[in-house]
């Protein structure tokens, strides 16, 4: 039951309960998205990649590591999962793109399982419309603008979509969601708007305009699908470590995001995937579910 649950609540799949989201937004972010002057500044200056790179520069300095312990404690980050000790990081930026110890993110091994490509908050749409449109947090987008390719988008008419939003405190590597062959990768977009709820609710369109990597893959069980890594405000970099064409294993690391929040979107053809029931139900309520990389989010139909 959702009685007494706030509209912002997140579904915690591990503990089978609703919880209030951790607030990552500061006064500056609120002002940039919720005031007229701030929105003007976002469009005119702050959404350009060079601004994010300049804003993130201090986090690469040695003194930025002084904030690590406080950040880990404030966001309840499991330090015992991290590959290195906190004192061994040279800066906050290095910590942000941290690797985890082997086994920290077990990948569902079943052949039919599709797993989350990253840690974060997932929202799914089980059926796009005939024009491959979808709605996220009350804003309507088109697969054609997300992918930057009308012909490719037509493959996903009446198909399915999953979007995983990574908060600044999350593990920021992204991985392949199933065994598949990568055919192509293209870079789209020129801006870096925030992908957070506050951005979408105030009319910003990160899925249309942000810098992003559009990847086309094919799986023996789920056919053609797209994986899109979307940069965001304060994220000047999407770094690829395994993006050459060829066969990829489920759970294999594809790359990582630089500082800030970001998102990964998955698009599937019609009738190919059945999302897990709890994720689908929560998404239909207009909310998100907490997921971890490697966790099953759906399975092939049939």
């Amino acid at each position: 039951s959702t009685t007494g649950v706030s509209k912002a609540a997140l579904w915690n799949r591990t503990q089978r309960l609703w919880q209030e989201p951790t607030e990552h937004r500061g006064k500056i972010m609120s002002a940039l998205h919720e005031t007229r002057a701030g929105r003007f500044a976002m469009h005119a200056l702050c959404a350009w990649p060079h601004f994010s790179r300049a804003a993130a520069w201090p986090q690469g300095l040695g003194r930025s590591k002084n904030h690590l312990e406080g950040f880990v404690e404030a966001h309840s980050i499991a330090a015992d999962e991290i590959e290195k000790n906190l004192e061994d990081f040279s800066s906050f930026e290095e910590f942000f793109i941290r690797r985890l110890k082997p086994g920290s993110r077990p990948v569902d091994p079943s052949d039919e399982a599709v797993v989350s490509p990253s840690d974060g908050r997932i929202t799914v749409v089980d059926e796009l419309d005939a024009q491959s449109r979808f709605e996220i947090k009350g804003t309507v987008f088109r697969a054609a603008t997300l992918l930057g390719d009308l012909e490719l988008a037509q493959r996903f008419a009446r198909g399915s979509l999953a979007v995983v939003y990574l908060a600044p405190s999350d593990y920021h590597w992204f991985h392949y969601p199933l065994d598949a062959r990568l055919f192509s990768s293209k870079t789209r977009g020129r801006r870096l708007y925030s992908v957070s709820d506050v951005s979408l609710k105030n009319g910003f369109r990160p899925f249309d305009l942000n810098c992003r990597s559009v990847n086309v893959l094919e799986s023996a069980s789920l056919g053609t699908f797209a994986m899109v890594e979307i940069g965001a405000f304060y994220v000047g970099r999407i770094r690829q470590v395994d993006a050459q064409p060829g066969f990829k294993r489920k759970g294999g690391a594809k790359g990582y995001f630089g500082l800030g929040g970001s998102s990964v979107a998955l698009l599937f053809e019609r009738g190919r995937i059945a999302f897990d029931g709890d994720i689908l139900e929560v998404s239909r309520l207009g909310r998100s579910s907490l997921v971890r990389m490697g966790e099953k989010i759906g399975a092939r139909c049939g």
Side-chain angles (χ1 to χ4, degrees), residues 4 23 265 272:
E23 182 59 71
R272 292 287 190 169

Side-chain angles (χ1 to χ4, degrees), residues 8-22 24 75 105 116 118-123 163-167 169-170 276 278-279 282-283 287-293 295-297:
L10 296 166
W11 174 244
N12 187 318
R13 305 185 79 202
T14 303
Q15 300 178 26
R16 307 295 297 178
L17 54 79
W18 293 95
Q19 68 180 58
E20 293 303 309
T22 302
H24 297 284
H75 297 285
R105 294 294 183 273
S116 177
S118 65
D119 286 9
R121 309 170 185 196
I122 190 170
T123 300
V163 177
V164 184
Y165 163 67
L166 293 77
S169 57
D170 285 326
D276 285 1
D278 62 329
I279 291 177
V282 169
S283 294
R287 302 180 181 131
S288 302
S289 302
L290 293 172
V291 291
R292 306 217 307 176
M293 193 290 292
E295 178 181 331
K296 178 176 172 288
I297 59 172

Side-chain angles (χ1 to χ4, degrees), residues 32-43:
L32 285 173
H33 293 88
E34 297 176 336
T35 67
R36 181 177 297 180
R39 289 192 292 270
F40 174 81
M42 277 297 300
H43 288 303

Side-chain angles (χ1 to χ4, degrees), residues 132-165:
S132 301
R133 291 178 299 196
F134 59 93
E135 182 177 316
I136 298 291
K137 304 299 181 183
T139 302
V140 176
F141 297 94
R142 294 173 61 91
T145 51
L146 171 65
L147 300 171
D149 187 324
L150 178 58
E151 183 177 353
L152 177 61
Q154 290 172 343
R155 298 192 65 130
F156 302 109
R158 303 290 187 187
S160 306
L161 169 83
V163 177
V164 184
Y165 163 67

Side-chain angles (χ1 to χ4, degrees), residues 19-286:
Q19 68 180 58
E20 293 303 309
T22 302
E23 182 59 71
H24 297 284
R25 183 179 30 150
K27 293 181 179 180
I28 294 177
M29 285 293 288
S30 295
L32 285 173
H33 293 88
E34 297 176 336
T35 67
R36 181 177 297 180
R39 289 192 292 270
F40 174 81
M42 277 297 300
H43 288 303
L45 173 64
C46 301
W48 292 103
H50 61 76
F51 181 89
S52 286
R53 287 192 288 268
W57 174 74
Q59 302 305 330
L61 301 178
R63 64 173 178 267
S64 65
K65 65 180 295 183
N66 297 333
H67 305 296
L68 283 184
E69 289 190 11
F71 185 84
V72 168
E73 182 178 355
H75 297 285
S76 302
I77 296 172
D80 59 345
E81 293 181 343
I82 303 171
E83 193 174 58
K84 296 169 61 174
N85 296 322
L86 293 184
E87 58 268 23
D88 294 331
F89 288 100
S90 63
S91 66
F92 184 85
E93 181 178 34
E94 185 187 8
F95 169 80
F96 189 86
I97 58 173
R98 60 193 177 276
R99 300 301 302 263
L100 302 181
K101 294 176 181 177
S104 297
R105 294 294 183 273
V107 177
D108 190 301
S110 56
D111 291 339
E112 70 276 8
V114 178
V115 304
S116 177
S118 65
D119 286 9
R121 309 170 185 196
I122 190 170
T123 300
V124 301
V125 179
D126 59 334
E127 185 175 341
L128 310 182
D129 69 11
Q131 286 74 45
S132 301
R133 291 178 299 196
F134 59 93
E135 182 177 316
I136 298 291
K137 304 299 181 183
T139 302
V140 176
F141 297 94
R142 294 173 61 91
T145 51
L146 171 65
L147 300 171
D149 187 324
L150 178 58
E151 183 177 353
L152 177 61
Q154 290 172 343
R155 298 192 65 130
F156 302 109
R158 303 290 187 187
S160 306
L161 169 83
V163 177
V164 184
Y165 163 67
L166 293 77
S169 57
D170 285 326
Y171 164 67
H172 262 69
W173 283 71
F174 45 88
H175 300 245
Y176 289 101
L178 68 161
D179 288 352
R181 184 167 296 277
L182 175 64
F183 283 100
S184 66
S185 298
K186 295 182 179 179
T187 301
R188 304 292 189 192
R190 300 177 59 199
R191 310 298 291 276
L192 288 173
Y193 291 108
S194 171
V195 292
S196 64
D197 289 359
V198 67
S199 174
L200 294 170
K201 290 175 181 177
N202 283 280
F204 295 97
R205 302 189 64 85
F207 299 111
D208 293 351
L209 302 172
N210 279 20
C211 299
R212 56 201 185 276
S213 175
V214 177
N215 308 275
V216 180
L217 303 98
E218 185 170 331
S219 160
S221 58
L222 274 84
T224 298
F225 70 97
M227 178 174 176
V228 186
E229 299 104 38
I230 305 165
F233 179 67
Y234 204 49
V235 184
R237 299 163 304 157
I238 303 174
R239 292 287 187 252
Q240 305 288 347
V241 298
D242 183 14
Q244 296 300 313
F247 182 77
K248 310 298 178 183
R249 285 289 182 191
K250 178 167 61 176
K254 185 175 187 294
Y256 61 87
F257 293 106
L259 286 163
S262 39
S263 291
V264 180
L266 301 172
L267 287 124
F268 300 95
E269 295 175 304
R270 183 179 186 181
R272 292 287 190 169
I273 186 173
F275 291 118
D276 285 1
D278 62 329
I279 291 177
L280 184 56
E281 181 181 355
V282 169
S283 294
R284 287 172 174 170
L285 293 172

